[in-house]
Amino acid sequence: PAVDFDDPTISALPRILLMGPRRSGKTSIQRVVFHKMSPHETLFRLEATQLLERAVVDHTPLCRFTIWDFPGDQYETLVNEDTDKDTNGGGEERSGAQNNRHQPSDEIFVKATALIFVLDAQDEPYDNVLQSFTDTVTRAVRANPSIAIEVFVHKVDGELFLSDEAKYDCRRDVMQQVSDELADAGFLSHDAVPISYHLTSIYDHSVFEAFSRVVQRLIPELPTLEHLLNVLVSTCSMEKAYLFDVASKLYISTDSSPVDMQSVELCSDMIDVVLDVSGIYGTGGIGPKNAGAKAAMAPLEGDGSEVKVDGQDALANDAINELTSSNLDPSNNDDDELLGKLVGQVGPTAEEEANDQDGAASAYDSESSSTIYLSNGMVLYLKEVDTMLALVCLTRAENFKKKSLINYNIGCLKKALKALASKNQATIA
Amino acid sequence: MAKKKVLLMGKAHSGKTSMRSIIFANYLARDTMRLSPTLDVEHHHVRFLGDLVLNLWDCGGQDAFYESYFERDRETIFRSVELLIYVFDIESDCPEKDFDHFAGVLEALEENSPDARIFVLVHKMDLVAEEERELILEDRKRLIEESCLGVGVQHFQCFGTSIWDETLYKAWSEIVTNLIPNIGVLESHLADFCRICDADEVVLFERATFLVISHAQAKRGENDDGSRVDRARLTAGVEESTLNNDEIVEGISPSLAGANLDSTVNEDADDALQMSTSPPESSLIDDSTKGGDASALSPSVHSPPPPSPGNVALTSSVGNTQRAKSSAQAAPSPTPQFDAHRFEKISNIVKQFKLSCGKAQSQFQGMDVRNSKFTAFIDAFTANTYIMVIVSNTQSDGQEWGKGVHKAATLLNISKARSHFEQFIPRS
Ligand SMILES: Nc1nc2c(ncn2[C@@H]2O[C@H](COP(=O)(O)OP(=O)(O)OP(=O)(O)O)[C@@H](O)[C@H]2O)c(=O)[nH]1
Ligand SMILES: Nc1nc2c(ncn2[C@@H]2O[C@H](COP(=O)(O)OP(=O)(O)O)[C@@H](O)[C@H]2O)c(=O)[nH]1
Ligand SMILES: [Mg+2]
C-alpha cells in the first residue's frame, strides 16, 4: 500500500536520515532491523539504492518515525546542491518529490530529528568519507542545531575485527579524524556538535543496540517511561526491565540501572522465540476475529485474582497513582504532575481504541506472554503492554514467586502507557 | 553402547562440515564461513540421546580423495555403514562429475553395506530464489533417482536443505530418527500423553541437538466423554479461590510494595490448583507416578474415582457449562491446521535460543509462550530430551479462570511423566 508522506500525520513524525557512501550498509541496516531480513541475505538480495527510499515505522504507539534511506552517491549531491535536483523519486513518493523539488536541500535537515551516518569500517582509508561527513554535519547542524548526529562505524565484523580492541581502535581513529575535520571547518569546541558513535554490524546484536539508542532519543516521553520502569523494578524486586518494540526488537526504554548488553540480547532473542512460536501455533482459526480486540480491554489475564482486579478500574487507577507516586524521587516533580494528569485520562476510551490496527492478524496479541527459566536462577518474563510493545524483565526466580503482584503492577504500567500513548496521539493530531 | 557408522560424503565445499558443526557442535550458521576444507576423512563421535553414538565419517570431497575412497580404502570406508548421507551442492559447477562420484559411492556401498540407509541432501537451497526452489529440487531429485536406479538402489530419501533455515533440521531429524531403535513404542506413549494432557500436540526433542525425535497430535472429536462435567466443577472451585485472592488484592493496593505479602499472595497457578482440587488429586498424582508399566499413566488418570474431580477434569479443555455458552464459536473448529514445517522450525528457533543462552553463560531450562489462542510449554523432560506441549485456548467466551489451572495441570503432567518416559526413550 502506498504511503502518503505528505499526509500531515506522517510528515509530522520524527525523521531519521540514513546517509553514507555507497555500499556502506545503510539499506542492509534498514532491512535487517525493520524487515527481518537475515544478514547473509543482504549479500545477494540487495541492489544499490537508486532513489531515496522512505519508510514509516509505526508498530507501537509510543515509537513512531520515518526512515529516509539515501542512495550512497546521491546524498552528497543532494546535500551540496541547492538547485532543483530531483531529490526524491520512486513510485509512491512521486507526489512528495514535487513538493521537495524546489526547496533548498537543507530543508531535509531542518525537519530531520536524527542523522545516522554509516561508515564502512572495512573500507579504509576513511579520509574522503569523513571529509564528506563533516561537510554534511556542518550543513545539517547549521540548518537544524537540534539534529542528533549518530555515526555508525559499521561492518565491525569478520577477520579484521575479531577482537574488541580492534573495534575500539577503529572508533577512536574515526572520532579523532572527525574532530580534526570539524575544527578545520570552524567548529572549535567538541561540544559544538555533539556526535554519538556506535560500533555496529548486522551480523550481531550491535546494530539493534545502536538503533535502539537512536530511537530512544526520539521519544519525548522517555523520562516518564524510565521512571515508570524504575518504579516497577523496585516494586517487584526485578533486576532489569525493558520496553521492546517487538516488531523491530528495538528497546525504547529501560530502567536506569546499567544496561548489560548480554541481557538485552537475551531479551531480544526471547522476542524472536515468542513471535516465531506464536506465529506457528497462535494464529489458529479458533479465536473469533474480534477476540484480540476484546481481550485487549482486559489488561490483566489469567490467574485467579487478576481477573477481579481487571474488573475494578477504580482500584487499578488508584494503583497507578500508587505505582507512580509512592516511590517518587522528589527531584522528579514534573513527572509526578504529568502522571497525575495522565492517570486521570485513563478511562474506557483509552482502552477501547486498543489494537484494531493489525491486532487480529498478528500472533502477538494482548494476551501474549512468556516465561523462560534459566539455569542461573534467573527468569525472563515477557508481557504485552501495548500494541506490539512488550515489557521484558529479568528477575531472580525467588522474586518471581509472587507472580500475581508482578502481573498486577505490570497491569498498572500498561494503563499508564496507554494513557501516555493517547496523550502522544493527541499532541500529534 | 552402540556405535553407528555414518558416512558423510559429497563434493568439496558442498557443506558437509557446516551441517555437522551446526547440528552437533553448536555452531551458528554464519560461523561456518570460517571452516577450512576437510582433508581426507575426519572421524567424529557424537552422542545422541545419551548412549547412542554416531560415528561420523566426514569424507573430504576433493577428487584426489575419491580415488582412494574407491580404490585403496574402499573396504575401510564402505564396510559396516549404517547410513550414508550424500550432499549435493545446488550450485555445483560440475554436476556431471558429482553424479559420477555419487554413482561410484552407491556402488561401493551396495557391495560392502547393502543394508545401509541412504539420504541425499540437495544443499544450499537458499541460493535458489524461493519461487524456483520446488521446481529445481524436483528436477534434481529426478536425476538422483535415475542415478540410484542405475546402480540398483531402490530405497533412499532426498531432502532440499540449507544451513540458513529450518530445512536443515528437517533432514537431520529424519536421519537420526532412523538410527533410534524402537521409536514406535515411544511414539505410542507420546500419543497417550498427548491425549491425557488434552494437548493439541506434543513434540519430543533430543536435548543437545534439539532435533525432533517424536511427536503426537490430538485426534479431535474423540474426547467427548464425561470429563467435562468435572471441569465445570473445577472451575467453580477456582471461583472460590479467586474470592480469597480478592482480599489479597485489596490488601495490596494501598502499599504495593508487597515484599511482606509474599506468603499470602500465592496464586501462582500451582496454588490455584491446590486450592481448588485439594484432597482427591494428591493421591491421584501419586498413583500415576508409581505406575511402572506402560498403561499405568493412562488408566489411573483417565478413570478417577467418580465423586472427585479427577485429573482428567483438570486437563480437558472445555467444561460442559462453558461449552454450552460458547459452542457456537468453539464447536465447529477442529484441530487447527498448523504449518507443515513447524517441527523443524521449532527445532531451529529453540536451538538458536539455546545458543543465545550459552553466550550469556546460562542455559534455558523451560519456557512457556502464549497468546490468546494457545500456550506452548517447552521443558527439560527426561535426561536426554526436551518436550513441547501445545495447548490451544478454546475458551472464547471470556472465561479465563481455567487457564491458570490448565497451565498448572500441564506442568504437573509433564513433571509426572518425566520418570515414566525415561524408560521409553530408546537406548541402544
Ligand atoms: N561484513 C558486513 N557486511 C555488511 C554489513 N552490513 C552490510 N554489509 C554488506 O554491505 C553490502 C552493501 O550493503 P547495502 O546495504 O546495499 O549498502 P548501502 O549503503 O545501502 O549502499 P547504497 O544503496 O549503494 O548507498 C552488502 O553486500 C551487505 O551484505 C555488516 O555489518 N557487516
Ligand atoms: N549459502 C549457503 N552456504 C552454505 C550452506 N552450507 C554451507 N555453506 C557454505 O559452504 C562453504 C563450505 O562448507 P563446508 O562445510 O566447509 O563444506 P565441506 O567441504 O563439504 O565440508 C562454507 O563457506 C559454508 O558457509 C548453505 O546451506 N547455504
Ligand atoms: Mg542502499
Side-chain angles (χ1 to χ4, degrees):
Chain A
V3 179
D4 177 8
F5 284 84
D6 290 332
D7 181 322
T9 57
I10 289 177
S11 68
L13 293 176
R15 290 180 191 176
I16 299 178
L17 313 183
L18 277 172
M19 293 184 169
R22 270 230 175 280
R23 298 195 61 75
S24 58
K26 304 175 290 295
T27 309
S28 304
I29 292 173
Q30 200 256 358
R31 292 292 196 283
V32 169
V33 175
F34 297 104
H35 297 272
K36 292 209 174 298
M37 183 179 272
S38 87
H40 94 281
E41 280 181 280
T42 64
L43 282 170
F44 51 95
R45 296 264 147 86
L46 286 186
E47 312 215 328
T49 311
Q50 300 299 338
L51 298 160
L52 171 64
E53 284 177 19
R54 294 183 287 184
V56 183
V57 176
D58 180 14
H59 313 123
T60 187
L62 284 169
C63 177
R64 311 167 70 221
F65 51 89
T66 55
I67 296 188
W68 300 44
D69 178 13
F70 287 85
D73 50 8
Q74 261 186 30
Y75 91 95
E76 280 177 70
T77 29
L78 191 137
V79 167
N80 291 327
E81 286 177 31
D82 285 4
T83 53
D84 60 349
K85 234 194 151 46
D86 190 355
T87 55
N88 311 349
E92 58 208 41
E93 285 121 40
R94 277 280 144 70
S95 59
Q98 304 290 319
N99 261 356
N100 283 0
R101 179 168 295 177
H102 300 289
Q103 291 166 350
S105 53
D106 280 358
E107 190 70 9
I108 283 169
F109 299 120
V110 172
K111 291 199 179 157
T113 327
L115 163 65
I116 298 178
F117 190 92
V118 182
L119 173 112
D120 183 343
Q122 298 188 8
D123 190 23
E124 276 191 288
Y126 314 129
D127 305 30
N128 281 335
V129 175
L130 288 179
Q131 196 158 7
S132 83
F133 167 65
T134 34
D135 290 349
T136 312
V137 169
T138 313
R139 292 190 66 127
V141 172
R142 293 211 167 111
N144 175 3
S146 68
I147 194 169
I149 310 279
E150 317 271 352
V151 176
F152 283 15
V153 180
H154 189 56
K155 306 196 191 178
V156 284
D157 52 50
E159 304 289 308
L160 285 173
F161 295 98
L162 289 176
S163 73
D164 284 345
E165 279 302 295
K167 300 181 192 177
Y168 298 147
D169 285 353
C170 178
R171 180 174 58 189
R172 205 194 41 233
D173 288 352
V174 170
M175 287 170 77
Q176 186 56 51
Q177 281 197 50
V178 169
S179 77
D180 291 352
E181 294 270 354
L182 280 178
D184 289 349
F187 287 94
L188 284 178
S189 90
H190 195 66
D191 332 326
V193 189
I195 301 177
S196 312
Y197 294 86
H198 311 263
L199 290 162
T200 59
S201 162
I202 52 171
Y203 285 98
D204 58 37
H205 193 260
S206 59
V207 72
F208 289 89
E209 175 67 23
F211 226 108
S212 293
R213 305 223 177 228
V214 172
V215 162
Q216 285 166 27
R217 292 230 218 152
L218 309 179
I219 302 173
E221 298 87 354
L222 192 66
T224 315
L225 293 179
E226 192 174 308
H227 173 65
L228 283 167
L229 292 173
N230 280 341
V231 176
L232 179 75
V233 162
S234 74
T235 309
C236 299
S237 316
M238 294 168 173
E239 304 299 305
K240 195 82 190 127
Y242 300 92
L243 283 177
F244 271 93
D245 170 355
V246 292
S248 63
K249 293 192 293 167
L250 300 180
Y251 68 98
I252 64 169
S253 179
T254 178
D255 63 290
S256 41
S257 66
V259 171
D260 143 42
M261 287 279 276
Q262 246 168 21
S263 79
V264 187
E265 199 170 337
L266 210 54
C267 292
S268 152
D269 291 335
M270 178 182 196
I271 291 171
D272 280 335
V273 173
V274 170
L275 291 190
D276 291 348
V277 174
S278 303
I280 292 171
Y281 288 108
T283 57
I286 288 172
K289 207 174 173 239
N290 62 0
K294 188 169 113 196
M297 288 197 276
L300 298 166
E301 49 109 349
D303 315 347
S305 71
E306 300 151 4
V307 174
K308 193 63 193 170
V309 176
D310 184 15
Q312 296 191 357
D313 273 354
L315 183 64
N317 273 347
D318 283 354
I320 300 178
N321 281 323
E322 210 51 55
L323 176 70
T324 51
S325 61
S326 63
N327 297 5
L328 257 189
D329 174 347
S331 68
N332 251 339
N333 274 333
D334 287 356
D335 283 355
D336 194 9
E337 226 179 285
L338 172 65
L339 278 164
K341 280 188 218 124
L342 290 176
V343 168
Q345 290 172 12
V346 177
T349 43
E351 287 174 358
E352 266 159 25
E353 56 157 49
N355 69 351
D356 34 350
Q357 216 174 3
D358 48 9
S362 165
Y364 184 79
D365 65 27
S366 62
E367 288 182 54
S368 284
S369 77
S370 174
T371 316
I372 298 183
Y373 294 87
L374 300 176
S375 61
N376 60 3
M378 300 298 278
V379 177
L380 289 165
Y381 186 48
L382 176 150
K383 210 151 164 52
E384 192 263 4
V385 286
D386 201 347
T387 315
M388 294 314 263
L389 190 67
L391 174 80
V392 188
C393 43
L394 198 66
T395 181
R396 293 184 187 284
E398 62 264 28
N399 296 331
F400 193 66
K401 293 206 177 81
K402 15 168 197 171
K403 192 170 162 190
S404 67
L405 189 69
I406 292 175
N407 278 339
Y408 181 76
N409 283 326
I410 295 176
C412 297
L413 173 78
K414 184 167 173 167
K415 291 203 165 190
L417 291 174
K418 282 242 156 71
L420 270 180
S422 66
K423 179 180 170 276
N424 180 324
Q425 215 85 330
T427 47
I428 286 179
Chain B
M1 186 157 61
K3 281 193 186 171
K4 312 258 182 181
K5 177 169 166 186
V6 177
L7 286 189
L8 192 49
M9 300 188 106
K11 192 187 77 134
H13 214 69
S14 57
K16 304 177 291 295
T17 311
S18 302
M19 287 193 273
R20 171 172 64 74
S21 311
I22 291 172
I23 296 289
F24 296 107
N26 292 341
Y27 271 57
L28 291 172
R30 65 179 142 91
D31 296 337
T32 63
M33 298 190 184
R34 295 201 204 120
L35 289 172
S36 48
T38 308
L39 296 181
D40 220 335
V41 182
E42 280 181 24
H43 298 265
H44 288 266
H45 295 253
V46 294
R47 239 172 220 285
F48 193 79
L49 275 179
D51 49 10
L52 183 63
V53 174
L54 310 189
N55 187 3
L56 279 177
W57 293 41
D58 186 346
C59 307
Q62 291 160 40
D63 293 350
F65 300 140
Y66 271 95
E67 278 161 32
S68 71
Y69 300 156
F70 289 150
E71 308 288 337
R72 186 164 49 87
D73 299 329
R74 193 176 181 94
E75 273 200 22
T76 332
I77 302 254
F78 292 100
R79 218 176 28 206
S80 53
V81 173
E82 293 271 343
L83 198 149
L84 164 75
I85 303 168
Y86 197 92
V87 184
F88 282 97
D89 184 342
I90 191 74
E91 287 224 308
S92 167
D93 40 12
C94 187
E96 300 80 23
K97 186 145 60 164
D98 295 356
F99 277 100
D100 277 356
H101 283 160
F102 180 53
V105 167
L106 289 179
E107 221 170 279
L109 195 67
E110 281 294 280
E111 219 174 270
N112 293 282
S113 306
D115 294 331
R117 272 150 297 185
I118 296 167
F119 288 83
V120 183
L121 308 186
V122 181
H123 193 54
K124 305 197 187 177
M125 287 302 289
D126 61 286
L127 297 174
V128 178
E130 215 165 333
E131 344 35 291
E132 296 170 21
R133 266 176 219 169
E134 204 170 325
L135 260 169
I136 292 192
L137 184 61
E138 280 314 312
D139 187 55
R140 207 46 72 99
K141 277 184 178 167
R142 221 190 46 246
L143 291 177
I144 290 166
E145 191 173 347
E146 277 169 21
S147 199
C148 285
L149 293 176
V151 288
V153 170
Q154 308 270 353
H155 299 288
F156 67 97
Q157 271 180 281
C158 187
F159 296 91
T161 53
S162 162
I163 56 168
W164 293 102
D165 61 38
E166 69 277 356
T167 52
L168 181 71
Y169 290 88
K170 168 78 183 171
W172 282 84
S173 192
E174 293 287 334
I175 291 170
V176 294
T177 44
N178 259 281
L179 294 171
I180 304 173
N182 287 324
I183 193 102
V185 178
L186 175 64
E187 222 148 80
S188 79
H189 283 273
L190 211 58
D192 285 344
F193 183 65
C194 182
R195 186 164 37 76
I196 292 164
C197 288
D198 201 11
D200 285 46
E201 185 152 281
V202 176
V203 186
L204 210 57
F205 303 91
E206 199 274 333
R207 201 174 188 121
T209 57
F210 244 88
L211 293 172
V212 173
I213 54 173
S214 188
H215 55 83
Q217 277 75 39
K219 292 189 202 73
R220 289 291 141 146
E222 213 180 57
N223 60 350
D224 280 291
D225 53 24
S227 61
R228 294 216 184 88
V229 183
D230 299 320
R231 175 56 173 272
R233 287 173 54 179
L234 181 88
T235 310
V238 176
E239 257 173 300
E240 275 164 38
S241 77
T242 57
L243 272 182
N244 290 335
N245 286 328
D246 286 351
E247 290 167 26
I248 294 167
V249 170
E250 267 158 21
I252 305 174
S253 55
S255 77
L256 259 189
N260 52 355
L261 287 169
D262 289 10
S263 52
T264 39
V265 190
N266 234 337
E267 47 70 87
D268 212 28
D270 279 304
D271 298 276
L273 178 77
Q274 299 297 345
M275 282 192 234
S276 54
T277 61
S278 32
E281 260 54 51
S282 31
S283 58
L284 251 184
I285 288 158
D286 284 359
D287 273 6
S288 40
T289 30
K290 276 183 215 139
D293 68 308
S295 54
L297 187 60
S298 18
S300 62
V301 170
H302 253 262
S303 44
S308 71
N311 225 7
V312 181
L314 283 178
T315 51
S316 77
S317 60
V318 181
N320 235 358
T321 48
Q322 290 167 311
R323 173 58 70 91
K325 275 187 258 162
S326 64
S327 56
Q329 290 157 335
S333 56
T335 304
Q337 288 302 305
F338 297 130
D339 184 343
H341 304 291
R342 63 192 179 280
F343 301 125
E344 51 268 28
K345 282 184 179 169
I346 298 280
S347 286
N348 194 5
I349 294 163
V350 182
K351 180 86 182 267
Q352 299 301 324
F353 187 74
K354 231 180 122 202
L355 296 181
S356 315
C357 290
K359 258 201 289 176
Q361 274 90 48
S362 187
Q363 283 172 311
F364 103 87
Q365 291 183 315
M367 66 167 86
D368 60 65
V369 176
R370 66 167 68 182
N371 71 9
S372 61
K373 306 209 177 64
F374 84 113
T375 306
F377 301 90
I378 303 175
D379 217 341
F381 195 48
T382 65
N384 300 309
T385 59
Y386 270 77
I387 195 168
M388 176 173 79
V389 178
I390 302 293
V391 181
S392 65
N393 185 8
T394 47
Q395 298 150 296
S396 44
D397 60 352
Q399 289 241 19
E400 308 208 327
W401 300 337
K403 226 162 51 177
V405 178
H406 203 158
K407 171 177 173 178
T410 308
L411 289 175
L412 210 62
N413 280 334
I414 291 176
S415 79
K416 276 192 306 171
R418 229 166 237 139
S419 58
H420 176 75
F421 264 86
E422 204 68 80
Q423 57 197 307
F424 299 113
I425 307 292
R427 284 153 204 278
S428 45

